Coordinates of all heavy atoms in Angstrom, one line a residue:
G480 N 65.8 227.7 45.2 CA 66.1 226.3 45.7 C 65.0 225.4 45.6 O 64.3 225.4 44.5
F481 N 64.8 224.6 46.6 CA 63.7 223.6 46.6 C 62.4 224.2 46.2 O 61.6 223.7 45.3 CB 63.6 222.9 47.9 CG 62.4 222.0 48.0 CD1 62.5 220.7 47.4 CD2 61.4 222.3 48.7 CE1 61.4 219.8 47.4 CE2 60.3 221.4 48.9 CZ 60.3 220.2 48.2
D482 N 62.0 225.4 46.9 CA 60.7 225.9 46.7 C 60.6 226.5 45.3 O 59.5 226.3 44.6 CB 60.4 227.0 47.7 CG 61.6 227.9 48.0 OD1 62.6 227.8 47.3 OD2 61.5 228.7 49.0
S483 N 61.6 227.1 44.7 CA 61.5 227.6 43.4 C 61.5 226.4 42.3 O 60.8 226.6 41.2 CB 62.7 228.6 43.0 OG 63.9 227.9 43.0
R484 N 62.1 225.3 42.6 CA 62.0 224.2 41.8 C 60.6 223.6 41.7 O 60.2 223.1 40.7 CB 63.1 223.2 42.1 CG 64.5 223.7 41.8 CD 65.6 222.6 41.9 NE 66.8 223.0 41.2 CZ 67.9 222.3 41.0 NH1 67.8 221.0 41.4 NH2 68.9 222.8 40.4
V485 N 60.0 223.7 42.9 CA 58.6 223.2 42.9 C 57.8 224.1 42.0 O 56.9 223.6 41.2 CB 58.0 223.2 44.3 CG1 56.5 223.1 44.3 CG2 58.7 222.2 45.2
N486 N 58.0 225.4 42.0 CA 57.3 226.3 41.1 C 57.7 226.0 39.7 O 56.7 226.0 38.8 CB 57.7 227.8 41.4 CG 56.8 228.5 42.3 OD1 55.6 228.3 42.2 ND2 57.3 229.4 43.2
D487 N 58.9 225.8 39.4 CA 59.3 225.5 38.0 C 58.5 224.3 37.5 O 58.0 224.3 36.4 CB 60.8 225.2 37.9 CG 61.7 226.4 38.0 OD1 61.2 227.5 37.7 OD2 62.9 226.2 38.3
R488 N 58.6 223.2 38.2 CA 57.9 222.0 37.8 C 56.4 222.2 37.7 O 55.7 221.7 36.8 CB 58.2 220.9 38.8 CG 57.6 219.5 38.4 CD 57.9 218.4 39.4 NE 59.3 218.1 39.5 CZ 59.9 217.1 38.8 NH1 59.1 216.4 38.0 NH2 61.2 216.8 38.9
G489 N 55.8 222.9 38.7 CA 54.3 223.1 38.6 C 53.9 223.9 37.4 O 52.9 223.6 36.8
N490 N 54.8 224.9 37.1 CA 54.4 225.7 35.9 C 54.5 225.0 34.6 O 53.9 225.4 33.6 CB 55.4 226.9 35.9 CG 55.1 227.9 36.9 OD1 54.1 228.0 37.6 ND2 56.1 228.8 37.3
R491 N 55.3 223.9 34.6 CA 55.4 223.1 33.4 C 54.3 222.1 33.3 O 54.1 221.5 32.2 CB 56.8 222.4 33.4 CG 58.0 223.2 33.2 CD 59.2 222.4 32.9 NE 59.5 221.4 33.9 CZ 60.3 221.5 34.9 NH1 61.0 222.7 35.1 NH2 60.5 220.6 35.8
M492 N 53.6 221.8 34.4 CA 52.6 220.7 34.3 C 51.2 221.3 33.9 O 50.8 222.4 34.2 CB 52.4 220.2 35.7 CG 53.6 219.5 36.3 SD 53.5 219.1 38.1 CE 52.0 218.2 38.2
R493 N 50.5 220.5 33.0 CA 49.2 220.8 32.5 C 48.1 220.3 33.5 O 47.1 221.0 33.7 CB 48.9 220.2 31.1 CG 49.8 220.9 30.0 CD 49.4 220.4 28.7 NE 50.0 221.0 27.6 CZ 49.8 220.8 26.3 NH1 48.9 219.9 26.0 NH2 50.5 221.4 25.4
L494 N 48.4 219.2 34.1 CA 47.4 218.6 35.0 C 48.2 218.1 36.3 O 49.4 217.8 36.2 CB 46.7 217.4 34.4 CG 45.7 217.7 33.2 CD1 45.3 216.4 32.6 CD2 44.6 218.5 33.7
P495 N 47.5 218.1 37.4 CA 46.2 218.6 37.7 C 46.0 220.1 37.7 O 47.1 220.8 37.6 CB 45.8 218.0 39.1 CG 47.2 217.9 39.7 CD 48.2 217.6 38.7
L496 N 44.8 220.6 37.8 CA 44.6 222.0 37.7 C 44.7 222.6 39.1 O 44.7 222.0 40.1 CB 43.2 222.3 37.2 CG 43.0 221.8 35.7 CD1 41.5 222.1 35.3 CD2 44.0 222.4 34.7
G497 N 44.8 224.0 39.1 CA 44.8 224.7 40.4 C 46.1 224.4 41.2 O 47.1 224.0 40.8
R498 N 45.9 224.6 42.6 CA 47.0 224.4 43.5 C 47.4 223.0 43.6 O 48.6 222.7 44.1 CB 46.6 225.0 44.9 CG 46.4 226.5 44.9 CD 46.0 226.9 46.3 NE 47.1 226.7 47.3 CZ 48.1 227.5 47.6 NH1 48.2 228.6 46.9 NH2 48.9 227.2 48.5
Y499 N 46.5 222.0 43.2 CA 46.9 220.6 43.4 C 48.2 220.3 42.6 O 48.9 219.4 42.9 CB 45.8 219.7 42.9 CG 44.6 219.7 43.9 CD1 43.3 220.3 43.5 CD2 44.6 219.2 45.2 CE1 42.3 220.3 44.4 CE2 43.6 219.2 46.0 CZ 42.4 219.8 45.6 OH 41.4 219.8 46.5
K500 N 48.4 221.0 41.5 CA 49.5 220.6 40.7 C 50.8 221.0 41.4 O 51.9 220.3 41.2 CB 49.5 221.2 39.3 CG 49.7 222.8 39.3 CD 49.7 223.3 37.8 CE 49.8 224.7 37.7 NZ 49.8 225.2 36.3
Y501 N 50.8 221.9 42.3 CA 51.9 222.3 43.1 C 52.2 221.3 44.2 O 53.4 221.0 44.6 CB 51.9 223.7 43.6 CG 51.9 224.7 42.5 CD1 50.8 225.3 42.0 CD2 53.2 225.1 41.9 CE1 50.8 226.2 40.9 CE2 53.2 225.9 40.9 CZ 52.0 226.5 40.3 OH 52.1 227.3 39.3
D502 N 51.1 220.6 44.7 CA 51.3 219.6 45.6 C 52.0 218.4 44.9 O 52.9 217.8 45.5 CB 49.9 219.1 46.2 CG 49.3 220.2 47.0 OD1 50.0 221.1 47.6 OD2 48.0 220.2 47.2
V503 N 51.5 218.1 43.7 CA 52.1 217.0 43.0 C 53.6 217.3 42.7 O 54.5 216.5 42.7 CB 51.4 216.7 41.7 CG1 52.1 215.7 40.8 CG2 50.0 216.2 42.0
A504 N 53.8 218.6 42.3 CA 55.2 219.0 42.0 C 56.1 218.9 43.2 O 57.3 218.5 43.1 CB 55.2 220.4 41.5
M505 N 55.6 219.2 44.4 CA 56.4 219.1 45.6 C 56.8 217.7 45.9 O 57.9 217.4 46.3 CB 55.6 219.7 46.8 CG 56.4 219.6 48.1 SD 55.6 220.4 49.5 CE 55.8 222.2 49.0
V506 N 55.9 216.8 45.7 CA 56.2 215.3 45.9 C 57.3 214.9 45.0 O 58.2 214.2 45.3 CB 54.9 214.5 45.7 CG1 55.3 213.0 45.7 CG2 53.9 214.8 46.8
A507 N 57.2 215.3 43.7 CA 58.2 215.0 42.7 C 59.6 215.5 43.0 O 60.6 214.9 42.9 CB 57.7 215.4 41.3
E508 N 59.5 216.8 43.5 CA 60.8 217.4 43.9 C 61.4 216.8 45.1 O 62.6 216.7 45.3 CB 60.6 218.9 44.1 CG 60.5 219.7 42.7 CD 61.7 219.5 41.8 OE1 62.8 219.6 42.4 OE2 61.5 219.4 40.6
L509 N 60.6 216.4 46.1 CA 61.0 215.6 47.2 C 61.8 214.4 46.8 O 62.8 214.0 47.4 CB 59.9 215.3 48.2 CG 59.5 216.4 49.2 CD1 58.2 216.0 49.9 CD2 60.6 216.7 50.2
A510 N 61.2 213.7 45.8 CA 61.9 212.5 45.4 C 63.2 212.7 44.8 O 64.1 211.9 44.9 CB 61.0 211.8 44.4
A511 N 63.4 213.9 44.2 CA 64.7 214.3 43.6 C 65.5 215.2 44.4 O 66.5 215.7 44.0 CB 64.4 215.0 42.2
L512 N 65.2 215.3 45.8 CA 65.9 216.3 46.6 C 67.4 216.0 46.7 O 67.8 214.9 46.9 CB 65.2 216.2 48.0 CG 65.8 217.2 49.1 CD1 65.4 218.6 48.7 CD2 65.3 216.8 50.5
R513 N 68.1 217.1 46.6 CA 69.5 217.0 46.8 C 70.0 218.4 47.2 O 69.4 219.4 46.7 CB 70.3 216.5 45.5 CG 70.2 217.5 44.4 CD 70.9 216.9 43.2 NE 71.1 217.9 42.1 CZ 70.2 218.2 41.2 NH1 69.0 217.6 41.3 NH2 70.4 219.1 40.3
P514 N 71.1 218.5 47.9 CA 71.5 219.8 48.3 C 72.2 220.5 47.1 O 72.7 219.9 46.2 CB 72.6 219.5 49.4 CG 73.1 218.1 49.1 CD 71.9 217.4 48.6
L515 N 72.1 221.8 47.1 CA 72.6 222.7 46.0 C 73.8 223.5 46.6 O 73.8 224.1 47.6 CB 71.5 223.6 45.5 CG 70.2 222.9 45.0 CD1 69.1 224.0 44.9 CD2 70.5 222.2 43.7
P516 N 74.9 223.5 45.8 CA 76.0 224.3 46.2 C 75.7 225.8 45.9 O 75.6 226.2 44.7 CB 77.2 223.9 45.3 CG 76.7 222.6 44.6 CD 75.2 222.7 44.6
Y517 N 75.6 226.6 47.0 CA 75.3 228.0 46.9 C 76.6 228.9 47.2 O 77.5 228.4 47.9 CB 74.3 228.4 47.9 CG 72.9 228.3 47.4 CD1 72.1 227.2 47.6 CD2 72.2 229.5 47.0 CE1 70.8 227.1 47.2 CE2 70.9 229.4 46.5 CZ 70.2 228.2 46.7 OH 68.9 228.2 46.3
R518 N 76.6 230.0 46.6 CA 77.7 231.0 47.0 C 76.8 232.3 47.4 O 76.1 232.8 46.5 CB 78.6 231.3 45.8 CG 79.4 230.1 45.4 CD 80.2 230.3 44.1 NE 79.4 230.7 42.9 CZ 78.7 229.8 42.2 NH1 78.6 228.5 42.6 NH2 78.0 230.2 41.2
I519 N 77.0 232.7 48.6 CA 76.2 233.8 49.2 C 77.1 234.9 49.6 O 78.1 234.6 50.3 CB 75.4 233.3 50.4 CG1 74.4 232.2 50.0 CG2 74.6 234.5 51.0 CD1 73.6 231.6 51.1
T520 N 76.8 236.2 49.1 CA 77.7 237.3 49.5 C 76.7 238.3 50.1 O 75.8 238.8 49.5 CB 78.3 237.9 48.3 OG1 79.0 236.8 47.6 CG2 79.3 239.0 48.7
L521 N 77.1 238.7 51.4 CA 76.3 239.7 52.1 C 77.0 241.1 52.1 O 78.2 241.2 52.4 CB 76.1 239.3 53.6 CG 75.4 238.0 53.8 CD1 75.3 237.7 55.3 CD2 74.0 237.8 53.1
D522 N 76.3 242.1 51.6 CA 76.8 243.4 51.6 C 78.1 243.6 51.0 O 79.0 244.3 51.5 CB 76.8 244.0 53.1 CG 75.4 244.2 53.6 OD1 74.4 244.4 52.8 OD2 75.2 244.0 54.9
G523 N 78.3 242.8 50.0 CA 79.6 242.9 49.2 C 80.8 242.4 49.9 O 82.0 242.6 49.5
G524 N 80.6 241.6 51.0 CA 81.7 241.0 51.7 C 82.3 239.8 51.2 O 82.1 239.5 49.9
E525 N 82.8 238.9 52.0 CA 83.4 237.7 51.5 C 82.3 236.7 51.0 O 81.2 236.7 51.6 CB 84.3 237.0 52.5 CG 83.6 236.6 53.7 CD 84.6 235.9 54.7 OE1 85.6 236.7 55.1 OE2 84.4 234.8 55.1
V526 N 82.6 235.8 50.1 CA 81.8 234.8 49.6 C 81.7 233.6 50.5 O 82.7 233.1 51.0 CB 82.2 234.4 48.2 CG1 81.2 233.2 47.7 CG2 82.3 235.5 47.2
R527 N 80.4 233.3 50.9 CA 80.2 232.1 51.7 C 79.8 230.9 50.8 O 78.8 231.0 50.1 CB 79.1 232.3 52.7 CG 79.3 233.5 53.6 CD 78.2 233.7 54.6 NE 78.3 234.9 55.4 CZ 77.8 235.1 56.6 NH1 77.1 234.1 57.2 NH2 77.9 236.2 57.2
E528 N 80.5 229.8 50.8 CA 80.2 228.7 50.0 C 79.6 227.6 50.9 O 80.2 227.3 51.9 CB 81.4 228.1 49.3 CG 82.0 229.2 48.3 CD 83.1 228.5 47.4 OE1 83.3 227.3 47.6 OE2 83.7 229.2 46.6
L529 N 78.4 227.1 50.6 CA 77.7 226.2 51.4 C 76.7 225.4 50.6 O 76.4 225.7 49.5 CB 76.9 226.9 52.5 CG 76.0 228.1 52.2 CD1 74.7 227.6 51.8 CD2 75.9 229.1 53.3
E530 N 76.3 224.3 51.2 CA 75.3 223.4 50.6 C 74.0 223.7 51.3 O 73.8 223.8 52.5 CB 75.6 221.9 50.9 CG 76.9 221.5 50.3 CD 76.9 221.2 48.9 OE1 75.9 220.5 48.4 OE2 77.8 221.6 48.1
A531 N 72.9 224.0 50.5 CA 71.6 224.4 51.0 C 70.5 223.7 50.2 O 70.6 223.5 49.0 CB 71.5 225.9 50.9
T532 N 69.4 223.5 50.9 CA 68.2 223.0 50.3 C 67.4 224.1 49.7 O 66.9 224.0 48.6 CB 67.3 222.2 51.3 OG1 68.1 221.2 51.9 CG2 66.1 221.8 50.7
L533 N 67.4 225.3 50.3 CA 66.7 226.5 49.8 C 67.3 227.7 50.5 O 67.8 227.7 51.6 CB 65.2 226.4 49.9 CG 64.6 226.5 51.3 CD1 64.3 227.9 51.8 CD2 63.2 225.8 51.2
V534 N 67.2 228.8 49.8 CA 67.6 230.1 50.4 C 66.5 231.1 50.0 O 66.1 231.3 48.8 CB 68.9 230.7 49.9 CG1 69.2 232.0 50.5 CG2 70.0 229.7 50.2
A535 N 65.8 231.7 51.1 CA 64.7 232.7 50.8 C 65.2 234.1 51.4 O 65.8 234.1 52.5 CB 63.5 232.2 51.6

Side-chain angles (χ1 to χ4, degrees):
F481 174 76
D482 42 8
S483 66
R484 288 190 166 187
V485 170
N486 262 325
D487 283 342
R488 185 181 289 268
N490 290 341
R491 293 194 301 266
M492 293 167 59
R493 291 186 176 183
L494 294 172
L496 300 175
R498 291 179 66 87
Y499 289 111
K500 70 179 179 180
Y501 293 99
D502 295 335
V503 173
M505 180 175 288
V506 172
E508 285 300 321
L509 276 170
L512 182 69
R513 68 183 190 278
L515 301 168
Y517 270 88
R518 299 174 300 283
I519 301 177
T520 307
L521 303 180
D522 293 330
E525 65 180 58
V526 177
R527 306 182 186 205
E528 297 189 4
L529 49 86
E530 300 281 315
T532 302
L533 67 85
V534 180

